[in-house]
Amino acid sequence: NAGVTQTPKFQVLKTGQSMTLQCAQDMNHNSMYWYRQDPGMGLRLIYYSASEGTTDKGEVPNGYNVSRLNKREFSLRLESAAPSQTSVYFCASSERQGLYGYTFGSGTRLTVV
Amino acid sequence: DAKTTQPNSMESNEEEPVHLPCNHSTISGTDYIHWYRQLPSQGPEYVIHGLTSNVNNRMASLAIAEDRKSSTLILHRATLRDAAVYYCILFYNQGGKLIFGQGTELSVKP
């Protein structure tokens, strides 16, 4: 099915390790987003890319970097993971700057021990 | 970004209508009203959006007050699969980003 694909679905890291979360969409959307969701909380925007070649900080960017590799792919990197980054990470994409809705992936559940 | 206020939780009976309220007294003229829902262990899902007029789609209806300071998401016949957290979000059309609040957790009783 068309949509947003996130890999991996689950990951356990040790404090200080690095990893990259991958996201790809096949809907030809211009804009892509990374969110995190802590238990019992709403989603918080980490970074977004309004179009290919641009990235901007969201509400909680500290400790993360992003790369908009091409129109389809938007990756999120944790350079030195911390327990506070234990969360579920969602990638999303949209066209028309999101007016007609965002499409979300199914999430990556990350635990940092 | 303008703020919205929603009840923390609501209960409904299966096959009955559900009215989910949202207050947004500081809404500006360029803000669209978006609704998303998040089923357990899934990513959020777009439900509906509107600007001034009431809107209907296959999932729900959106009723917007004349002064736009509040809106109501209407599920016409709740099913058990509608149990989710529903988010009301004000979205600025030109370069806006979805900023999620706490949402309303809807439970549906058989």
Side-chain angles (χ1 to χ4, degrees):
Chain A
N1 289 339
V4 177
T5 303
Q6 292 183 236
T7 55
K9 294 193 182 305
F10 300 93
Q11 184 72 48
V12 179
L13 287 179
K14 293 182 178 178
T15 297
Q17 286 185 319
S18 62
M19 80 161 294
T20 300
L21 281 63
Q22 306 287 353
C23 175
Q25 53 92 8
D26 58 6
M27 296 168 287
N28 202 36
H29 286 171
N30 284 322
S31 303
M32 298 185 73
Y33 315 84
W34 276 105
Y35 288 85
R36 63 176 286 176
Q37 185 172 34
D38 300 328
M41 305 276 289
L43 281 76
R44 291 183 292 171
L45 182 63
I46 305 172
Y47 269 95
Y48 66 101
S49 172
S51 61
E52 188 178 354
T54 69
T55 60
D56 283 290
K57 296 178 180 179
E59 301 170 275
V60 289
N62 291 344
Y64 305 95
N65 286 303
V66 290
S67 296
R68 183 73 184 267
L69 304 170
N70 48 54
K71 192 172 186 179
R72 289 187 64 247
E73 299 171 289
F74 189 38
S75 63
L76 179 72
R77 182 160 178 85
L78 287 70
E79 290 291 351
S80 179
S84 60
Q85 294 179 304
T86 294
S87 191
V88 181
Y89 291 83
F90 291 101
C91 178
S93 69
S94 72
E95 62 174 308
R96 294 288 304 272
Q97 298 183 327
L99 176 61
Y100 296 118
Y102 287 24
T103 301
F104 284 83
S106 57
T108 294
R109 188 173 297 273
L110 176 67
T111 301
V112 183
V113 298
Chain B
D1 296 297
K3 299 289 188 186
T4 62
T5 304
Q6 300 177 253
N8 289 332
S9 62
M10 291 184 63
E11 280 190 353
S12 172
N13 294 317
E14 196 176 11
E15 298 188 5
E16 290 185 357
V18 182
H19 289 67
L20 295 162
C22 181
N23 288 321
H24 28 78
S25 58
T26 60
I27 191 171
S28 72
T30 51
D31 286 334
Y32 282 74
I33 302 159
H34 279 232
W35 283 83
Y36 282 74
R37 71 178 185 180
Q38 186 174 22
L39 280 64
S41 300
Q42 294 188 27
E45 174 187 28
Y46 166 81
V47 177
I48 199 167
H49 79 277
L51 183 62
T52 56
S53 304
N54 295 344
V55 184
N56 300 296
N57 67 20
R58 64 175 181 81
M59 292 181 69
S61 295
L62 176 60
I64 301 172
E66 196 167 333
D67 64 4
R68 300 210 324 129
K69 293 183 184 299
S70 65
S71 61
T72 302
L73 180 70
I74 302 166
L75 307 179
H76 295 285
R77 270 179 89 238
T79 70
L80 298 178
R81 290 177 297 175
D82 290 322
V85 178
Y86 287 79
Y87 296 98
C88 168
I89 304 170
L90 297 185
F91 184 79
Y92 174 56
N93 186 29
Q94 297 302 318
K97 303 168 288 296
L98 279 184
I99 302 298
F100 288 78
Q102 291 296 104
T104 297
E105 184 170 10
L106 175 68
S107 58
V108 180
K109 296 184 290 184

